[in-house]
Amino acid sequence: MAFSKDFIWGAAAASYQVEGAWNDDGKGPNVWDVSAKYGHIRHNETAEVSADHYHRMKEDVALMKELGLKAYRFSISWARVLPNGIGEVNEKGLKFYSDLVDELIANGIEPLATIFHWDYPYALDCLGGWKNKDSSDWFLEYTKVIIDALSDRVKYWMTFNEPQCSLGCGYMVGVFAPFQKCSTPELLEMGANMFRAHGKAVKYIRENAKQKCYISMAPYGSIYCPEDDSEEAFNKAYNDSFKSEGERFPFSMSYWSDVVYLGHYPEDMVEEFGDQLPQFTDEEWAMISAPLDFYGVNIYYYKGYPSADGGYDTNWYQGRPHTALNWPVTPEAMYWVPKFMYKRYGLPVMITENGLSEHDWVCLDGKVHDSYRIDFTHRYLRELSRVADEVPVIGYMHWSVMDNYEWAEGFDERFGLIYVDYQTQERTIKDSGYWYKGVIEANGENL
């Protein structure tokens, strides 16, 4: 059970969650900036300052180096680069990401860039956002700007982070910005425009990047685990994991991954929706499903089957360990998700997010003793090392590098390896950060 010698050990964050500086240096508002002012966020908190990474970038990269990170996965704020989503480029905003990339490379840290992590420009939202037939061209215009500026130094690109949350949480159930509840036909059309956006971005990167690039996306991997070692249990869990969930298709894995990696809608979606499914031309299908280089996936826990008597789901039980966000602790997901994804899509796997929120604080000795995060990560990484014998696993990005704004939960949740005091902006590396440094140094052989 060993990781490859070139395994990519890193950590991740997202622009809106850490940067702050919400309107500094010409940045335009995004849907979260606007929605936060209308009572959608716990405690009415905003990310106007957050962890102030925009102003403290060099300090934060120095801490990443102290952690021994080999890579940092960050996202780019669309509205910081293009304040109106299209049109005039904000050179100061673009320079921030160029400077970040330079600082990472100078410290021996590989930059991994996510093009879209939920912070949609408000100006484009006012024009209909993903409902607008022009939205994929807007995304392409944005992609061109950052690829032209950064691809000489950034090799790893992810188009979308957790599109399930963008479409499902943002537009179906309305718990994320822009907090809308759309009809099924609207959701299908929006999803189709997101696929077109992904395809156009990939095509531009392939044809115009200034060096060889490695491209993927990063959906979350929500699967069922086999209940025992039998072939029957394996097949049931595998097949159930790739059901498209009817009208809850925005949250499914097969909807996003089958279209992109296999070039067709899931069969059960075709049966469910028939002619309602947006149609793509042959040229569009070829563009949307153009080959990618690896399967990026975010892993936190596996799904459970509902109890027949209305009791606990099968991924839960009385007294089960759970995180501060009340997510179940299910390390086995880290084994089965890569195994299932590799079986279905046949590509190397990168864990693009994994971590937990806990009730951290600075103790009397000035340190943050987050033993639960160490135990959680240890358990999950052991499962990852186990599946690495069967599946080509190329990297692991811990979520998150530092405490930050947890979307609609505001600042209640702390996911970071680095503690952030939001009153003073003082940073403290947690015990888990030093533990993870040891794992990186040993390439996981001490797990």
Side-chain angles (χ1 to χ4, degrees), residues 107-357:
N107 284 275
I109 301 170
E110 185 80 42
L112 281 63
T114 303
I115 298 174
F116 181 69
H117 195 137
W118 310 352
D119 47 353
Y120 200 83
Y122 180 64
L124 296 183
D125 183 63
C126 291
L127 299 178
W130 294 116
K131 299 175 190 174
N132 192 309
K133 64 181 177 59
D134 295 327
S135 57
S136 62
D137 288 329
W138 300 338
F139 192 80
L140 174 59
E141 181 176 338
Y142 160 51
T143 299
K144 287 180 178 180
V145 172
I146 59 175
I147 293 300
D148 291 352
L150 303 178
S151 66
D152 59 330
R153 290 156 290 159
V154 179
K155 292 182 292 191
Y156 290 88
W157 294 91
M158 279 138 277
T159 54
F160 284 82
N161 181 79
E162 292 187 357
Q164 294 106 321
C165 291
S166 295
L167 189 61
C169 294
Y171 297 94
M172 180 183 175
V173 297
V175 296
F176 279 6
F179 297 93
Q180 297 181 16
K181 294 184 178 181
C182 299
S183 67
T184 295
E186 287 177 314
L187 294 169
L188 287 167
E189 287 296 338
M190 293 168 76
N193 285 330
M194 293 170 75
F195 286 129
R196 293 185 180 101
H198 163 83
K200 290 177 181 181
V202 172
K203 185 174 187 294
Y204 189 82
I205 297 170
R206 292 286 189 220
E207 294 178 354
N208 297 277
K210 297 176 182 178
Q211 62 177 317
K212 178 177 174 57
C213 287
Y214 303 91
I215 311 171
S216 186
M217 57 192 304
Y220 67 71
S222 184
I223 56 104
Y224 294 97
C225 284
E227 295 182 342
D228 55 48
D229 294 333
S230 68
E231 182 178 358
E232 180 182 8
F234 176 91
N235 290 335
K236 175 176 172 53
Y238 178 86
N239 292 330
D240 288 347
S241 295
F242 291 101
K243 289 180 178 178
S244 61
E245 304 183 38
E247 291 194 348
R248 288 185 60 82
F249 71 89
F251 292 105
S252 74
M253 284 193 309
S254 58
Y255 172 62
W256 297 104
S257 296
D258 283 10
V259 170
V260 167
Y261 290 93
L262 301 181
H264 59 73
Y265 285 113
E267 293 178 4
D268 60 345
M269 275 196 78
V270 176
E271 294 176 4
E272 174 88 15
F273 295 108
D275 293 341
Q276 292 185 66
L277 290 175
Q279 298 303 303
F280 300 117
T281 66
D282 290 345
E283 183 180 6
E284 284 178 321
W285 271 118
M287 178 183 66
I288 290 167
S289 62
L292 299 180
D293 299 295
F294 62 97
Y295 189 94
V297 62
N298 300 346
I299 302 174
Y300 291 96
Y301 57 90
Y302 64 74
K303 293 194 292 188
Y305 293 102
S307 167
D309 61 5
Y312 290 104
D313 290 353
T314 53
N315 66 343
W316 203 266
Y317 55 79
Q318 192 173 50
R320 173 139 202 153
H322 56 85
T323 72
L325 261 176
N326 206 32
W327 294 353
V329 179
T330 60
E332 302 86 353
M334 194 67 95
Y335 175 84
W336 289 107
V337 172
K339 192 176 180 73
F340 283 4
M341 299 306 116
Y342 187 65
K343 173 179 170 61
R344 192 172 185 90
Y345 304 115
L347 287 175
V349 175
M350 178 188 288
I351 311 307
T352 41
E353 287 183 23
N354 169 251
L356 82 160
S357 173

